[in-house]
Amino acid sequence: MLLPESCSVKVDGVECRLPPAHVVSVQSKDGEYMLAVVCDDHIAGLKGRLRVLQKEGKMPLGKIRFQPVIAVVTDCVTGIEEDYVEIELKRGVDSERKA
């Protein structure tokens, strides 16, 4: 899943520029819904705000979950010459490389 590059919280109308550290969702009887992403600096404030929104009926009732963001990096094939050579050498097969 592709996440926003920065925290979802705004303070006095100014967007937080810190990277997200947690995915925020609510588990209700109908399913689980992602609400936001939040940095470590704003997690406590968002927890309180979400509880208030649930009490006011502006957000589904259910368990509020904060799951840590885990970065996954892959060594993907991008189609450059080195990728084709590596595939041919490691797998022992001919590639569709343009000579």
Side-chain angles (χ1 to χ4, degrees):
M1 172 187 334
L2 187 61
L3 296 176
E5 292 181 13
S6 60
C7 177
S8 299
V9 174
K10 288 184 180 181
V11 178
D12 297 326
V14 178
E15 293 179 3
C16 175
R17 306 307 279 156
L18 295 174
H22 300 275
V23 175
V24 185
S25 62
V26 63
Q27 283 182 318
S28 69
K29 61 182 176 182
D30 299 325
E32 184 171 6
Y33 304 95
M34 183 177 147
L35 302 173
V37 292
V38 67
C39 67
D40 287 327
D41 291 356
H42 293 117
I43 196 168
L46 187 60
K47 280 181 183 179
R49 179 73 182 132
L50 293 176
R51 287 187 188 117
V52 169
L53 289 173
Q54 282 184 324
K55 287 180 184 177
E56 293 174 349
K58 295 180 180 177
M59 191 177 91
L61 293 176
K63 180 182 178 185
I64 300 169
R65 294 183 48 179
F66 289 82
Q67 300 174 48
V69 171
I70 300 171
V72 176
V73 180
T74 62
D75 185 15
C76 61
V77 176
T78 59
I80 60 175
E81 184 69 18
E82 290 84 11
D83 290 335
Y84 289 108
V85 172
E86 184 177 349
I87 289 170
E88 289 174 356
L89 293 174
K90 284 188 176 179
R91 297 183 186 170
V93 296
D94 290 331
S95 68
E96 297 177 9
R97 158 173 59 147
K98 299 174 186 111

